[in-house]
Amino acid sequence: MDLLNVKSVDKSYGGVIANHDVSLTVPKGKIVGIIGPNGSGKTTLFNSIVGHHPIDSGEIHFNGKEISSLTIPKIARLGMLRTFQQTHIYDKMTCVQNMQISSDIDSNWKRIFNPFSKEVDEMADELLAFVGLYKKRFLLAGDLSFGQQKLLEFAMALMKKPTILLLDEPTAGVNPTLINGLIDRLRQVNEEKGITLLVIEHNMRVIMNLAEHIYCLANGTMLADGKPDEIQNDQRVIDAYLGN
Amino acid sequence: MITKDKQNTLIWLGLAISAIVPFLFPNHITLLTYIWVMIILALTWDMLGGQTGYTSFGNILFLGVGMYVSAVVQRDMFSSGLDRFERVSEIVVNLNASEYFISLAVGTLSGAIVAVLLAVILGSGILGMRGHYFAICTLGLGHAAAEIASGIDYIGAGSGMVTPLYPRELLIGKEAFYYYAFLLVAVATFFLFRKIYQSQFGLALNAIRDNENKAESMGIHTTQYKIAGWSISAFFLAIAGAGIGNVIGFIDPVEIAFSGPTFGVWMIIMAILGGKGTIWGPVLGAVILYSAKETFWTYLLGWDKVALGLLILIVVVYFPKGILGYFKDRKQLNNSILSQKGEG
Amino acid sequence: MITYIKILIDSPEFLAQLIINGLLVGAIFALIAYGLALIWGVMDIINFAQGEMVIFGGYITYTLFYQFGIHPILTIPIVAVLLFVFGLFIYKTVIYRLLGEKDIFITILATFGLAILMQQLMQAIFGPDIVTANPELGMQFLFDGALIISNIQLVSFIIAVFVAIVLFVVMKYSRLGQTIRATSQNPRAARILGINIDRVYANTFAINAALCGIGGSLVVMIWAIHPFIGLVYTFRSFFIVILAGLGNFMGIIFTGMGISAFENVTGFIIGAEFQAAVIFCLLVIILITRSIRARKKRQYIQ
């Protein structure tokens, strides 16, 4: 079953065409990658999917539901979360607080004026340990390094138990020695928690290892898609990266 | 560092002293009452201004609305037969004790409800905006309300109206009654707000302050939280307003109810001076600023308001984190140094 | 209210009178609004003390007129220079320290504090009374007295247009204007190209102050001022700028004149005492409509 289905989406910013006739499908439970040279419209596509801006034409279906006119919080509450290329965290709050607030707070309005439950606290600690930030849990998130903030943001997204997670360059800025560990964790999240992943990535080694299916964007259009080894040997993809 | 238990002991000690203070300084009860008023104003401003970082310049609106609604209910509840042809600003209502307190309670509550409704309606429009536009939209709220109130004859228009006289020959005098009333409201506000800030709701407010885009992308309907926060503020602010109107005994749209240059500015500067975004900051700021204003500022002979303006500028430009924010930063710095040492 | 509308319908020449008066003085409001748009666009600062600067300019003209006997119109260049220096001073002492501030509300609070301080200072120095510096230039009777235009309104319109032209030329052709425009488009690129951003900001802020001062001089000649009336001018500037857009010079001029004419008519119908409330409520309504429309496009206005 297709969890996310993007059908011929167009998006332009005042004359600049960022996405033209872009389609992709993400099957449930899989890891799908998006690659493409800088400025090829990957992040724009992410923004269109999660509701950051309106799309000019096309359809976006999530779990069978048309979401291209919903607002960001509504889409997020359907179970689709994203992380940012530049980290977005609550920098004046501690890591634990960052995690707590990412739990599902307002599904039960009656409890909104209560402190966080034990389960939330335990889950926060567990997930912080999972990404290796347990020791730093009482530090202000703004004091973490860029790479650590990325890990925190990833853990925050897990806190919400999403159905699908859109990761915008999860390894960019992360210490190279930690990248392998991160790949393992992404895979673990996918296998054990059953979270579908859609990943934008520049690091070819990472994406080829991780994804089961890869889409390649260039100049705002979908250039090719296929299994990692097909993409790797696709002449059009190689040309796009070399700038032809 | 002060532990929670010690903090609570201190609070109870402070309250015990506050409870007997009117007996110690019987000539200064009204002045002491105003300290509690100021604490309420600063605390309610900080809900939006400090915890969510949305600086509102228009909270004075709710104070004035509470004041007027309450005064009208108090005036009309037990004396509907008033001759409407006399000048509204001169109507003085004499109520017996039970009438007085019943109408005061009903009036205060109605004022608070109207203020909350207003906060929800205005908030759903204004709080959807961010940054500059939000600030612009709140800047004129009080001023516009004052002009409109000046045009409504039913509430005395520009000349204002008189609140009912406090019934005579009661065990407790007017000044003492309002002292304890405000003490109660201020303490209730404090404890409730402290509970809110420690709750899930409070953390959501902070999340909006730190990164509203992130909060939205994590599924938090930020506007609803802001509206809820503003409404809670409006509720307590209106209660304070109802009380102030009765303490002064006279309401006028420009000088008292929607008085931007006094209450409107004070609540902001008190919260910032003490440290916005903290629970004790507004309390501290209110006590310091109001005591300072009442003690040595009178010696400034007419330049006291200039001093207030200068103080705002200095605090905002050179000391925007306030007294508690300053100490919090230092503590935070020590913490991070300690934890880095511990790790290394 | 209905009787007033009827008066306007019955005597169109009176309506024309209101509109023409509005258009003439609207040029002054446009100048003040342009100053606001300038610092908003270039420095991303909104100035809550805009109106107070206007009133300050008015008080200087008033003082020069009554204390030193200088003709009010001749005080305009003096006021412009004084306010320019005042702007530089405020920039150095207040604005400069807040430029790197991420929290935009801190800057807004600072200008708010400045507004309060200026109000109180002006009250302490000039007193709370209403003052005016009318140069008594007489009236023009047109169409057999059907249309009366006071000469001072005519003169101030001409002065405002003259200042606008000077401003336009300065912004378009002078080195200062070019650096200001470059900085507003991309401060980082401008800095790399060797433009002294700090000086550009200082000059921009000072130009705004000077424009406010000129506006204030004209205001005190036409109407009367007191220390706390600045807020009305602040609202009006915001209203004009928000309707016209930030970088739109001609738009601001025409919007300013249009709003002023509109205000004159509504002021006649529902009473001048609601002046600030009307402008402010309209401003809020426009912003809320825009906000709702933006919301439908998955956006918000900021």
Side-chain angles (χ1 to χ4, degrees), chain C residues 65-77:
Chain C
F65 180 42
Y66 280 101
Q67 299 290 322
F68 302 95
I70 303 171
H71 192 277
I73 292 176
L74 297 179
T75 64
I76 292 175

Side-chain angles (χ1 to χ4, degrees), chain A:
Chain A
M1 191 200 137
D2 291 341
L3 189 63
L4 179 66
N5 198 346
V6 178
K7 271 188 218 155
S8 48
V9 163
D10 279 25
K11 174 70 194 170
S12 56
Y13 293 108
V16 181
I17 296 168
N19 282 154
H20 176 61
D21 197 21
V22 173
S23 301
L24 64 81
T25 53
V26 182
K28 192 164 185 153
K30 300 280 191 227
I31 301 179
V32 174
I34 301 177
I35 59 169
N38 288 326
S40 59
K42 303 183 298 286
T43 299
T44 302
L45 180 62
F46 259 33
N47 286 338
S48 300
I49 296 174
V50 299
H52 197 73
H53 49 223
I55 54 173
D56 299 338
S57 65
E59 288 172 24
I60 301 170
H61 289 274
F62 175 59
N63 247 340
K65 194 177 172 190
E66 167 65 42
I67 58 165
S68 61
S69 61
L70 299 182
T71 53
I72 297 177
K74 282 200 180 124
I75 293 176
R77 296 174 80 87
L78 291 174
M80 168 149 44
L81 290 187
R82 64 92 58 95
T83 66
F84 293 84
Q85 198 172 342
Q86 295 301 319
T87 55
H88 278 217
I89 39 111
Y90 310 116
D91 50 0
K92 294 271 158 47
M93 288 162 36
T94 66
C95 294
V96 172
Q97 285 176 324
N98 268 272
M99 298 295 284
Q100 286 173 331
I101 194 64
S102 305
S103 69
D104 198 7
I105 52 166
D106 47 11
S107 57
N108 190 352
W109 275 99
K110 283 179 205 149
R111 291 183 43 85
I112 193 76
F113 291 112
N114 292 357
F116 288 94
S117 64
K118 264 226 161 59
E119 294 85 68
V120 168
D121 291 350
E122 280 165 12
M123 192 173 163
D125 281 356
E126 193 185 304
L127 284 170
L128 280 173
F130 178 67
V131 296
L133 288 174
Y134 187 73
K135 271 190 189 161
K136 313 235 172 206
R137 65 191 184 283
F138 295 124
L139 285 193
L140 290 189
D143 290 344
L144 298 178
S145 73
F146 181 73
Q148 288 167 335
Q149 288 183 3
K150 284 221 123 158
L151 293 170
L152 176 65
E153 208 186 352
F154 175 52
M156 283 158 71
L158 295 181
M159 201 69 195
K160 206 125 206 170
K161 298 179 185 153
T163 334
I164 185 169
L165 196 50
L166 280 63
L167 301 163
D168 199 346
E169 302 195 18
T171 65
V174 175
N175 185 339
T177 55
L178 293 176
I179 287 184
N180 282 337
L182 185 59
I183 297 177
D184 288 343
R185 287 192 186 106
L186 289 176
R187 224 181 250 132
Q188 215 175 326
V189 161
N190 176 248
E191 283 164 12
E192 290 170 14
K193 297 181 197 287
I195 298 174
T196 312
L197 298 178
L198 179 61
V199 188
I200 293 178
E201 189 51 75
H202 265 308
N203 188 329
M204 283 302 148
R205 189 175 62 81
V206 171
I207 199 75
M208 294 301 161
N209 262 322
L210 191 66
E212 296 156 62
H213 197 92
I214 292 177
Y215 287 87
C216 178
L217 273 172
N219 293 325
T221 56
M222 197 58 84
L223 192 67
D225 74 286
K227 297 238 150 34
D229 46 338
E230 290 168 17
I231 288 289
Q232 234 164 349
N233 300 319
D234 193 312
Q235 192 56 42
R236 290 172 300 173
V237 175
I238 297 167
D239 286 348
Y241 266 90
L242 293 176
N244 288 326

Side-chain angles (χ1 to χ4, degrees), chain C residues 203-224:
Chain C
N203 282 323
T204 313
F205 198 80
I207 288 174
N208 171 46
L211 283 175
C212 288
I214 296 170
S217 291
L218 298 174
V219 164
V220 79
M221 284 185 246
I222 300 176
W223 298 287

Side-chain angles (χ1 to χ4, degrees), chain C residues 241-281:
Chain C
V241 171
I242 284 167
L243 269 187
L246 278 185
N248 187 349
F249 186 82
M250 291 319 275
I252 287 174
I253 305 268
F254 290 124
T255 317
M257 293 169 70
I259 284 176
S260 166
F262 169 80
E263 228 183 87
N264 252 8
V265 176
T266 48
F268 177 75
I269 294 172
I270 61 173
E273 65 269 27
F274 295 115
Q275 197 185 19
V278 168
I279 310 172
F280 177 73
C281 291

Side-chain angles (χ1 to χ4, degrees), chain B residues 189-334:
Chain B
T189 313
F190 177 86
F191 280 110
L192 186 86
F193 277 33
R194 196 171 71 162
K195 184 175 153 51
I196 287 177
Y197 295 155
Q198 287 162 352
S199 75
Q200 311 185 7
F201 184 84
L203 207 56
L205 296 182
N206 292 157
I208 293 168
R209 175 196 64 199
D210 280 2
N211 194 333
E212 190 167 356
N213 287 330
K214 176 67 178 174
E216 284 214 312
S217 76
M218 293 300 283
I220 298 175
H221 288 292
T222 54
T223 310
Q224 293 174 6
Y225 281 87
K226 286 182 280 182
I227 295 172
W230 214 26
S231 306
I232 296 171
S233 296
F235 185 84
F236 288 97
L237 212 53
I239 292 178
I244 297 171
N246 280 292
V247 170
I248 299 176
F250 171 75
I251 300 176
D252 139 283
V254 178
E255 300 285 326
I256 298 166
F258 303 106
S259 171
T262 57
F263 297 122
V265 177
W266 289 343
M267 59 174 99
I268 301 175
I269 189 60
M270 288 182 303
I272 296 177
L273 175 69
K276 60 179 178 152
T278 60
I279 184 73
W280 280 107
V283 178
L284 196 67
V287 174
I288 292 177
L289 191 81
Y290 199 75
S291 322
K293 183 178 147 336
E294 286 301 315
T295 47
F296 72 89
W297 277 15
T298 40
Y299 297 112
L300 294 173
L301 297 170
W303 287 83
D304 53 339
K305 287 176 176 165
V306 177
L308 178 75
L310 200 61
L311 181 75
I312 297 173
L313 209 55
I314 291 171
V315 169
V316 170
V317 176
Y318 296 95
F319 208 48
K321 287 189 174 154
I323 297 166
L324 286 191
Y326 174 76
F327 286 112
K328 205 173 154 190
D329 270 12
R330 291 196 39 175
K331 204 185 92 190
Q332 216 39 271
L333 193 69
N334 286 340

Side-chain angles (χ1 to χ4, degrees), chain A residues 48 51 53-54 67-68 70, chain C residues 102 295-300:
Chain A
S48 300
H53 49 223
I67 58 165
S68 61
L70 299 182
Chain C
K102 264 203 287 179
R295 209 62 222 167
K296 284 191 185 134
K297 285 196 239 158
R298 296 170 155 194
Q299 280 158 348
Y300 44 81

